[in-house]
Every structure is written in C-alpha cells, then in structure tokens.
Amino acid sequence: MDRLNYQHLFYFWNVAREGGVTRASEKLGLAQPTISGQIAVLEESIGAQLFRKEGRNLVMTETGRTVFNYADEIFSLGRELGSALKNRAGAVSVRLSVGVSNALPKLLVYRLLEPALAAHNQVVCHEDKTERLLAELPVHGVDLVFSDWPATGAADARIYNHPIGECGVAAFATLELQQRYRKNFPRCLDGAPLLLPTTNTALRRSLDQWLDANSLFPKIVAEVEDSALLKTFGAGGAGVFMAPTAVRAQVEEQYGVRYIATLDGVTERFYAITAQRKIKHAGVAAILESARDWLI
C-alpha cells in the first residue's frame, strides 16, 4: 500500500463507531452500497479484512481494531486542527488515552492525571483488567497504562515499565467502626468485618501476607475488584477497608470515613507502562515528573 485513502478510512471509522453500515450511512447521508464498496477498496489496499460477520453484526478483526485506533487518533487530530484554525477555545489540547487498572484507587489516578489536565490535554480514560489494557499498548489503543504491578516478561517485548512511586497503606472505616476498632491496632482487626480487594491484585497479596504475619483472622465480608466500589461498601458501614496513605484526606472527605491506622510494612507500588522506553508524549512526561515529587 503506497498511499492511504483517508476518505475510505473515514467511512470505515464511522462504520466501526456506529456499529454497522446502516447507521453510518444514515449519519453520513450516503447509500449503504457506497460505504460498503469504499470499505472493500480499503481492505483490498491494506490486504486484510477489517470486519467479520457474527450473525447480523459486524465485528472488527484484529487488523480492524489496529486500523480503528489509528483512525480515531487521526480524526481526533483533524478536529483539533479545525478548532485551531477557527481559534476556538481548547484548540491547543492534545489527546491522551490512558488505561487504568480497575484495582487502582480512582482518587490517586485523578491526582496522577492532574498535570496532564492542567496542561490542556484531552484525557480519555479506559478502565479494565491490566492484562487487557496492556494488549492495547502495541496497537496504540492507549498511550499508557496505570497499574499496581509491572508488566512481566510474558508481556509484549515492546512494553516498558516506568515506576511512579509507592506509598503506605492505611485502614479506614465509618465513625462507628473506627471507634470500635482503632484501639490496640492491629490486634483489633481479629474477627473484625473486613473488605478486601480480589486475589488477582498486588495489594491483596500484600494484605494476605500482613494478616498472616500478624496472626489475624478477620471476618471477610466482601472481596471487591473495583477500588471505588470497595470504598463505597466501606462508606456504607459494611466493614474496614484499606487505601493508600497518599490520598488519605481525599478518601476521608469523599467517602465520609475515618482513618484508623497505617499498616506497618505494607506499601503499594504504582507503575506507568508505555510502548516506548523514552517518553515522547508531553502529558505522560508531566505525569511522571509530578508523581515522583509527591508519591514517595
């Protein structure tokens, strides 16, 4: 393929976004055969299928997903160019696509992203399991992934870990539970109602080791993968939960809970994972530089 036809790419992008040729044709005001024919020409020029049929639905192939991710960025930049030429507000924004592990504390993620927002980046967040997010890096589905554990050797060789920092972990609960369990910590947690992250998270493994080392046997009320949902359980009085000390004030304010104590010897580490060893995106560079100043 010597030269990409962006009009054909535009038709494909709209079909992928709208979920089918019919809806795309209605949006673009074009006949369905016209759009289907142009996508067929694009597939021929690429040398690969972009869609496959599953029943009545069109589903993107792996190649289709790669092309769509690039097209999404291309046409997003095109909109920014149009705004810049018309001197519209926000014309200088740069798109930053971020994958967020669903085990990460959302308050901490927001604080990590603040420098990018302050620099007028248009931030797009995708939340999922870390493994799925890492698969999006080589095909440019996301610019970076925030995770509580580094990508291992089993991941794509083009993926690089950038340690952001680490912080302590503390116990929190509603006022009623805090008054009941703040004395004689951590012995007070023996038999106490406890909310834990699921076993596939780095924090859960650290907490299990800490409980074993202190010979503690709490009553595990619930195991919740999503950190925000876990805190919501805690805010409702379901049990004691753990959160990073770096966002202690924000956790107390947003969820109406109280700090009990910091867990001795337990830390949570955070990583920014990219498809580039050298950071080129200004938003990512700002995030890493800022985080290393406050996340110790």
Side-chain angles (χ1 to χ4, degrees), residues 177-228:
L177 290 178
Q178 185 233 26
Q179 291 176 338
R180 189 185 308 172
Y181 296 111
R182 65 183 176 183
K183 297 178 181 179
N184 193 27
F185 189 89
R187 296 306 318 161
C188 60
L189 292 183
D190 203 25
L194 193 62
L195 302 168
L196 290 174
T198 49
T199 54
N200 62 328
T201 62
L203 178 58
R204 174 59 183 273
R205 292 189 285 272
S206 297
L207 292 176
D208 283 343
Q209 293 172 2
W210 181 80
L211 291 170
D212 288 341
N214 287 278
S215 300
L216 298 174
F217 299 92
K219 178 185 178 183
I220 301 176
V221 176
E223 299 179 53
V224 185
E225 185 174 52
D226 183 82
S227 65

Side-chain angles (χ1 to χ4, degrees), residues 99 130 133-140 142-164 270-280 284 288 292:
T130 302
L133 294 170
L134 292 178
E136 293 295 319
L137 278 173
V139 296
H140 302 278
V142 293
D143 296 307
L144 80 156
V145 172
F146 285 135
S147 176
D148 58 347
W149 51 268
T152 63
D156 193 288
R158 294 169 293 170
I159 292 176
Y160 302 95
N161 297 303
H162 305 275
I164 298 175
F270 305 101
Y271 299 85
I273 306 171
T274 70
Q276 298 172 332
R277 185 187 300 274
K278 184 177 180 180
I279 300 300
K280 297 180 180 179
V284 178
L288 295 180
R292 287 164 183 159

Side-chain angles (χ1 to χ4, degrees), residues 120-133:
H120 305 291
N121 287 268
Q122 178 194 348
V123 177
V124 181
C125 290
H126 307 273
E127 184 180 7
D128 207 334
K129 293 182 182 294
T130 302
E131 296 86 348
R132 293 174 185 167
L133 294 170

